[in-house]
Every structure is written in C-alpha cells, then in structure tokens.
Amino acid sequence: MTVSPVSSSPPRRSPLPLALALAFAGMPAAWAQSEAVPPGGAVLAPVIVLDTKEQAAPPATTLGPQELAPLRAATADTASLLRKVPGVTLYGAGGASSLPAIHGLADDRLRLQVDGMDLLSACPNHMNPAFSYLDPSQVETVQVWTGVTPVSVGGDAIGGAIVVETPKPRFAAPGQGTLVTGEAGTYYRSNGDGFGVHGSATLAGEQVSVRYLGAYAKANDYTAGGDFKDFTATGRAGHTLDRDEVGSTSYELSNHLVGFALKSGAHLLDASVAVQNVADQLYPNQRMDMLDNDSTLFNLRYLGQFDWGSLDARAYHQSVDHFMDFGEDKRYWYGTASGGPTAPNGKPCSPIGSSCAAGMPMNTESRTTGAKLTANIALSERDVLRLGGEYQHYTLDDWWPPSGANMWPGTFWNIKNGERDRAGLFGEWETKLSDRWMALAGVRYEHVTTDADPVQGYADTNGMGTMLNYQKRDAAAFNARERKRTDDNLDFTALTRYTLDEMREFELGFARKVRSPSLYERYPWSTWTMAAVMNNFVGDGNGYIGNPDLEPEKAYTLSATIDWHAADRQWGLRFTPYLTYVDDYIDALQWDAAKNAPAARLTRNQFVVLRYENQSARLYGFDLSGKAPLARTGLGAFGFEGVLSYTKGENRDTDDDLYNIVPWRATLTLTHQLAGWNNAVDWELSARKDDVSDARNEIETPGYGLVHLRASHDWKDVRLDLGVENLFDKLYYLPTGGAYVGQGTTMSINAVPWGIAVPGMGRSVYAAINVKF
C-alpha cells in the first residue's frame, strides 16, 4: 500500500541549464577550430586517440573485454567483476548491487564513476549504488586505482577510484558503407534458478552511429552449502524457508541504453539515455527490500583532440524513484490486530489504523545533475598539464507514508528537501624527468554544501496521534537548529615512478584526500529504534542516527609498489604496501535514546542503535599478486595466478576495530589453454575474521576454502562459458556480508536472532552463450 505525497514535495530549481552551459560553453568554437584529421584503416571505434603522454597515471588494474568475459557468466552483479582485483573486496547486499571496498574503505568513501558520471545512492540502505545501474554485459572496461589516486581521477573520496565504461560508439570504416553489428547472449545458473538475456546492436556510418544495449536478469533465493539457521518462519503464515535457504536474495531487473554519436575528424559528440527498472531486489542483510526502482539517466559528452592536447566535456542528469517495503520473506502485517510483535507470523488485519499496519512503505526520490570539463595540455614532449572543473547538484526526498499501528497517522519525513551541491577545480602536472623517472603532482579544491528542510514524525501536525519513542522531541530539536553545512576541501597528490630496467619498476606516492559527509550521514534525525534501523547502509542489522555536525573525513595515504616482471610480461610479481591515517573518520557510537546521548556502556550480543561520530582511524596492509607460466605440453599450456591481501583497520580513539575489514584472503588459480579452450581452477581462501567492531556487535566468521571451476571456448562469432562455483558445496559465511536479517519480524530490532552472518552461495553450475553478428 503506497500513499503518494506528490503535493507535499517542495518545488525545486533545476540546475540543468547551468550545468549544460558550464560543460559545453566552449564547444562550438572548439569544433570550428578543429583540424580535420581523416581516419584510416578499418576503424570500429571513434577516431579519438589521445597520445600516451596525455593519459593520467596508470591505474593499478585495468580489466578489458578479454578479462571481463569469463567473469560475466557467473554473476548479475557488476561490482562482483572486481572480485579478483588486488585490494578490492565487496560488501554484501542484493544479488545485483554489492558495494565495492578498497583497502577497507567502501561505498561513498570511493570515487565510483559510470561513463564519467558520479551516481549517488538514493536509499537509506544504499540499495541502488552506482554500479547497480549496469548489467555486467554492458561493461566494456574497468579501471581501478587502489593506491594513491591522481586528483584528476579522485575527488570527494578518501579511498581509491573505480571507473566503469560501457562500449564506445562504433563507426563504419571509410568506404565500408553501413556498419551493422551486435551481440546476443543468455545464461543459466542452477543455484537460485538464475537466468538472464542480453543484447546489443549498432547501426553506423562513417560519421553517425546509433547503438542499443539491453539486459534482463532474474533469480530466486539461493541456498547455502548447508543449514545455517534453526528456524523456518518468515513472519507470513503459510510461507516458510528451508534451513539452508538464504532468505531475501531474489531479484528481477532490466536495463536499457540507447546512444547516438556524431564523429567529425578528431571530434566526437555522444549522447545516450539509460533506463532501469528493478521489479524487486530483496536483501538478506537489510530489514527492508527494494520493491521498485526506476531510473532515467541522460549523458552528453564531447571529446576532441587539438594540436595543444585534448578536451573532454560532459553533462548528465539522473532521476530515481525508489520504493521499499517488506518482501515476500519478511513479515508484512504488524500491530496488535495482527497478533502483536511476539507472534511468529503477522495475521492479515483491517482496517488500517492504530492497531493494524500493512507493511511499512518507504519512498525515496532523487535528482542528480552534473557537468565536467577537463583539458589535457601537452606542454612539451615530456610534460602534460591537466586542468578541470566539475559541478554536481543532488536533491533527495525520503518519506514514509502512514501504514497503521505506530506508523500513523501522518507521513514520516526521514530527509525532506535534502540538497548536496559540490563544485571542484583541479590542476595536475605529469612529467617525464628522464627515460626512467616519471613524476606526478596535483591539487584539487572542492566546495561542498549540504542542507535539509524541517521534518516530522508519524504524528500529525496538530500534536494528536502517535507520539511514541521521542519522535516529537527529536523532530523539534532537529528543526530548531541550523542544518546547512559548508565544507571547503583540499586534496593533493604526489607520485613518482622509477623504471630501473625493462623488468623492474618502483612507485611511491603520498596523498591527502577529503570527503564531506553524505546526506544519510548528516540528516536522519530520529532516535526511535524502529526509525533508526531503517537507516543502515552497511548491513550489520543495527540502527543509525545522523549527525549534522559531522566534519569531513581527511585521509593521509602513503603507498608504494614494487613491480618485477618479464620483459614480455609473461610472468610478474607486484607488491603494494600502504598506510592510511584518517582524521575525523565517520564511525559510530552506541546511543541511549532516552538520554539522547552516548550509551554509558556497550550493549553486547544484540542489535543496537548507533549515532555517527567523528573519530580517528588507521588502516594498513598490503596486496601481493603475481602470475607465471608453468609448462607447455601435449595436454596444453598451464599457468599460475595468485593474489594475497591483508588489511587492518583500527579506531584510534576507542581502540576498537573498524567495521567490515576483511581478514587475510587469497585466490590461487591454475590456468589451462588447449585448442581454443581456456580453463581454470580457482582456490579461494579466507582466514577467520575475529577482529570485529565491538560498538556494532559485528559478527565473527570462520575461515574457509572454496574451489571454483570454469571453462570457455571462443569460435569466430560464438563464445561458450561453463563453470561450477563452490564445487564441494561448502557452508561458509561472507566476512563482509553483514548480519542475516533476511526473514521474519525484521521491523522490531531484536525480534530476529542476532549472531548469524550471511552465508555464501552453495554449489552452483552455470552455462552461458554469446553470439556476435
């Protein structure tokens, strides 16, 4: 049941004209001054080729079509394409929307871009992060900076950066006529009956190109490698789950993108619109589920090359309408008429009122408008200067219509008319000091402003009705204070690389990076337990209260890399240690709602309510990765690849461990190639996680080892992928999967059992086929 509050949403001023003007003010003149550079050869991509000297410092890892192809068949989650990148881990979430972390810093602490756009989560549970708007089949390249990130890539983040790109426009070669090309594919995964289809098509001439990308994915709940719980009730009469079934892990979604591009010499204009609909995506570590998510995304880009360098301008706009309530594995009916909070199943009741609640509808609406302008200026054969600016305007409304019982009779405004404006400028100089020495230095300034309007709880404006659990007190205190915050943030990066010879490279970098708090960290205001547990984007089952007085996080990172490899890169070993200190790190303290103050002592072994507070943190560790050929025999070519990572995170104020830090982990891979087949055996290893956050009552997880098999064959126009994940059907728990709250009476904070971590998927056999034309 949904009550539309259209009339109560305040009007907004659209900044789109300003953004478009900023990004494209100089484009007509630039086009007029361009030198027509005739393309040559059989070109299937735009003739926009930047000189190597104009590229930013190379990322730690680049994944192209060859690396991505064998990973797509096993997942519908774009972020999981990064699962074998050294330094990258994943926070568990929905089946298509996990959150990437780099060296213990995740989500908003990273710079996450899709086709150059910074997309923000519009959900108190971060169910729609940036990479959830792409199907894995729509990803062409991924670039990952895990160490010191150049200021031209970073900004408003204290961790690394991940840049995901969809396929670039393709054009017909000179004299080719009309280019018609495309691809279609499908897959099936046995665990959860997951299946999907995807397709792409391009119709192009030499100067004009039209493209389409589309995908559909659906899956049921998956099963673990064994029984991980001792109950079957879901809170809904007649609906139970087996003890090995991981509740709230099903999903159904579709993605579509249409692009139109024009090419003239060394200049490209590319416009696209992307539409997503999530019919539902359920969450095993959240108390709510996403039952609808509609996104429309417009992206306009100009890219040109001149005698002096290159110019890249972009403007984009995204609108998101997001709806949450209880999915099919969670209790829906609440209130005394439904049987009360202790009943194992909620009984349907009517009418909706003080004793009967039909679910808990939660709506979020966001609008994001942004623009960027970047110039790469070739000062000399050895020197490149990068200058750029960007602007982003983000608005958010988060309201919960009345549904009965304690959610009655008015609308609860979690965040009303929230705004986050960000404007930034950067300058970066890259120089080749000699044939062996490279240096890069950059400075970035960002001005960030956040604000939100007065709010109210479920109680009506006349002071009648539900006044439970401090709603009126908390709303009055929030409304009486100044809520606007302005931050002036300064980043700088210094990095140098020394190439001793064709086999050995050394890199050293230092960076200061700053991130302003998000709207969901500053403005959720209610200490009421039920409202607090609906604000949680880390999946630990706890409730969170915002803090308008949060200061920006300031991180100081020192990172080094030793890269030893063969001249032809057939074998290599790469070692990267790092150390990061974070001042004003946004951690959380347990909170006493009655006293509206920090709790006097920690409450243990149950779910709790916390408030965001600035603390001091330290993170350190290393990544070790390598590969080597083993043998070439009549049975094929054998090779070895491996990744070993370690991260430690500490709160220096409380001596507590930071939340969701992965333990020792490794992936060892034996590869095999024979007669067009590419095969591999992966051995995934994780140590026991016992360094956990006490304030959050984080759940420890045991160590494990998993074996995965995969095989693929490429013919001229056909690719076949086969594989088995978790070959021996082992029961294991995800170290960063959060707490299992996937079934039952999830609205009441401790009506679901504490202490069960979300288990990973049991054995799953998959097959995928792609056909090109």
Side-chain angles (χ1 to χ4, degrees):
M1 166 173 147
T2 307
V3 179
S4 175
V6 173
S7 61
S8 55
S9 297
R12 300 198 184 281
R13 298 183 300 275
S14 174
L16 183 58
L18 174 62
L20 291 170
L22 174 64
F24 298 102
M27 190 169 64
W31 200 294
Q33 295 171 6
S34 67
E35 180 180 352
V37 180
V43 179
L44 295 181
V47 188
I48 306 293
V49 181
L50 302 180
D51 293 339
T52 303
K53 65 187 179 183
E54 294 182 4
Q55 298 296 323
T61 303
T62 298
L63 303 177
Q66 183 175 354
E67 293 82 10
L68 293 171
L71 303 176
R72 294 190 183 107
T75 184
D77 178 14
T78 293
S80 71
L81 298 175
L82 304 164
R83 61 188 180 272
K84 297 182 72 173
V85 175
V88 177
T89 55
L90 301 173
Y91 277 25
S97 59
S98 60
L99 304 170
I102 296 177
H103 296 162
L105 300 172
D107 200 9
D108 286 339
R109 292 188 168 110
L110 305 179
R111 186 78 186 269
L112 306 177
Q113 294 187 345
V114 175
D115 283 339
M117 300 173 289
D118 294 285
L119 306 179
L120 304 178
S121 294
C123 170
N125 303 142
H126 282 200
M127 292 180 175
N128 44 22
F131 297 154
S132 70
Y133 292 106
L134 286 177
D135 184 83
S137 66
Q138 297 173 314
V139 177
E140 184 176 58
T141 61
V142 181
Q143 292 181 302
V144 185
W145 284 261
T146 57
V148 168
T149 306
V151 296
S152 57
V153 179
D156 197 35
I158 62 171
I162 304 173
V163 177
V164 173
E165 297 281 348
T166 58
K168 297 178 178 61
R170 303 174 69 181
F171 296 89
Q176 182 182 0
T178 301
L179 171 68
V180 180
T181 185
E183 180 178 338
T186 186
Y187 64 82
Y188 175 77
R189 304 175 190 123
S190 64
N191 198 326
D193 286 328
F195 73 94
V197 294
H198 60 86
S200 64
T202 293
L203 177 65
E206 295 181 29
Q207 281 81 40
V208 180
S209 177
V210 179
R211 67 190 185 279
Y212 166 78
L213 304 172
Y216 171 83
K218 179 179 173 61
N220 299 322
D221 289 348
Y222 70 77
T223 56
D227 294 347
F228 68 95
K229 58 183 188 286
D230 60 3
F231 58 95
T232 61
T234 65
R236 300 198 180 199
H239 177 47
T240 60
L241 300 180
D242 292 339
R243 288 178 170 84
D244 65 345
E245 183 173 346
V246 185
S248 300
T249 53
S250 64
Y251 57 86
E252 181 180 4
L253 66 157
S254 60
N255 291 278
H256 304 275
L257 182 148
V258 177
F260 178 81
L262 298 173
K263 176 170 67 71
S264 176
H267 301 270
L268 174 74
L269 184 64
D270 185 19
S272 65
V273 57
V275 177
Q276 182 192 72
N277 172 255
V278 180
D280 60 66
Q281 185 172 188
L282 311 188
Y283 287 73
N285 61 359
Q286 296 289 354
R287 296 170 183 274
M288 305 296 293
D289 295 305
M290 179 162 62
L291 301 187
D292 188 38
N293 194 85
D294 292 305
S295 166
T296 303
L297 179 59
F298 299 94
N299 193 4
L300 181 63
R301 185 190 191 190
Y302 164 76
L303 179 63
Q305 189 166 344
F306 304 84
D307 292 339
W308 50 264
S310 64
L311 187 68
D312 190 346
R314 187 186 303 272
Y316 60 92
H317 178 78
Q318 183 188 34
S319 63
V320 176
D321 294 302
H322 174 71
F323 172 69
M324 293 192 299
D325 209 327
F326 304 111
E328 61 184 7
D329 296 335
K330 293 167 182 168
R331 180 172 174 172
Y332 180 76
W333 296 97
Y334 283 86
T336 56
S338 75
T342 61
N345 295 303
K347 181 176 62 177
C349 54
S350 64
I352 303 303
S354 60
S355 62
C356 177
M360 184 183 173
M362 300 171 65
N363 292 279
T364 307
E365 177 185 285
S366 76
R367 303 292 181 261
T368 306
T369 301
K372 297 181 180 180
L373 184 64
T374 303
N376 291 273
I377 304 170
L379 300 177
S380 69
E381 290 296 320
R382 293 179 176 270
D383 297 275
V384 175
L385 177 65
R386 301 184 189 92
L387 300 173
E390 61 183 285
Y391 170 75
Q392 184 183 68
H393 178 69
Y394 174 72
T395 63
L396 176 78
D397 281 312
D398 186 332
W399 71 96
W400 311 345
S403 60
N406 289 341
M407 293 88 57
W408 183 268
T411 294
F412 187 104
W413 281 90
N414 193 38
I415 297 178
K416 188 173 186 179
N417 201 17
E419 295 192 13
R420 192 177 194 270
D421 292 336
R422 181 168 69 86
L425 296 170
F426 73 85
E428 184 174 87
W429 172 54
E430 182 176 336
T431 182
K432 195 172 182 181
L433 300 171
S434 68
D435 291 340
R436 295 186 176 184
W437 279 102
M438 183 279 289
L440 178 144
V443 177
R444 184 183 189 101
Y445 166 75
E446 297 228 349
H447 181 80
V448 182
T449 301
T450 65
D451 201 357
D453 280 358
V455 295
Q456 70 175 47
Y458 283 111
D460 64 23
T461 55
N462 295 322
M464 302 299 291
T466 303
M467 291 296 183
L468 301 177
N469 301 300
Y470 318 111
Q471 289 185 60
K472 187 174 182 181
R473 178 200 67 182
D474 294 344
F478 181 85
N479 296 339
R481 68 177 304 161
E482 174 61 41
R483 296 173 298 279
K484 185 175 183 180
R485 296 292 183 271
T486 300
D487 304 321
D488 293 293
N489 302 332
L490 187 65
D491 292 5
F492 62 81
T493 295
L495 181 146
T496 185
R497 182 182 301 111
Y498 177 67
T499 303
L500 180 61
D501 52 38
E502 62 181 5
M503 297 177 64
R504 289 169 291 181
E505 293 181 358
F506 305 90
E507 185 177 292
L508 181 66
F510 177 78
R512 179 187 193 266
K513 294 178 280 188
V514 185
R515 178 188 76 96
S516 288
S518 69
L519 297 183
Y520 278 115
E521 288 168 322
R522 275 185 168 154
Y523 295 122
W525 52 273
S526 180
T527 65
W528 178 27
T529 299
M530 195 214 70
V533 297
M534 303 300 158
N535 286 282
N536 181 323
F537 47 82
V538 295
D540 61 2
N542 297 311
Y544 286 85
I545 308 164
N547 183 353
D549 295 326
L550 289 174
E551 294 292 329
E553 296 179 320
K554 307 162 191 70
Y556 302 86
T557 298
L558 180 66
S559 177
T561 296
I562 301 171
D563 193 340
W564 182 34
H565 53 264
D568 59 3
R569 301 277 178 172
Q570 290 298 303
W571 61 264
L573 187 66
R574 185 181 179 94
F575 177 63
T576 301
Y578 56 87
L579 171 66
T580 297
Y581 281 88
V582 187
D583 291 335
D584 293 317
Y585 181 86
I586 299 175
D587 211 335
L589 300 178
Q590 289 191 14
W591 202 255
D592 186 329
K595 297 180 179 178
N596 204 13
R601 64 179 62 185
L602 291 182
T603 298
R604 303 308 308 271
N605 300 327
Q606 67 180 55
F607 298 115
V608 295
V609 173
L610 306 105
R611 186 175 191 252
Y612 295 115
E613 296 288 342
N614 288 120
Q615 306 274 279
S616 177
R618 175 175 58 212
L619 301 101
Y620 58 90
F622 68 85
D623 301 317
L624 178 66
S625 59
K627 65 176 184 177
L630 296 179
R632 287 187 176 273
T633 71
L635 298 177
F638 294 86
F640 171 80
E641 299 174 0
V643 176
L644 172 67
S645 296
Y646 171 73
T647 301
K648 175 71 172 177
E650 303 166 333
N651 184 315
R652 299 170 64 207
D653 289 348
T654 64
D655 292 326
D656 198 0
D657 292 297
L658 298 184
Y659 175 71
N660 249 5
I661 302 297
V662 294
W664 289 86
R665 64 187 185 94
T667 301
L668 308 177
T669 302
L670 177 67
T671 62
H672 172 247
Q673 295 178 322
L674 177 66
W677 285 94
N678 288 276
N679 312 311
V681 180
D682 290 331
W683 190 20
E684 179 185 338
L685 301 166
S686 176
R688 176 181 177 82
K689 187 177 78 168
D690 49 20
D691 291 336
V692 293
S693 170
D694 291 336
R696 288 176 165 87
N697 289 326
E698 185 179 3
I699 302 166
E700 296 184 3
T701 57
Y704 60 85
L706 308 175
V707 176
H708 314 299
L709 305 179
R710 51 188 167 90
S712 65
H713 193 291
D714 266 313
W715 291 272
K716 181 180 178 182
D717 296 317
V718 178
R719 177 185 174 91
L720 175 68
D721 286 275
L722 303 169
V724 183
E725 297 281 288
N726 193 359
L727 176 65
F728 299 110
D729 201 25
K730 184 177 181 61
L731 174 61
Y732 71 103
Y733 297 88
L734 301 168
T736 55
Y740 182 68
V741 290
Q743 65 186 92
T745 306
T746 61
M747 184 185 294
S748 301
I749 186 169
N750 282 300
V752 288
W754 175 89
I756 304 174
V758 175
M761 185 180 290
R763 182 189 300 115
S764 182
V765 180
Y766 65 85
I769 187 167
N770 291 315
V771 180
K772 296 180 180 179
F773 59 88

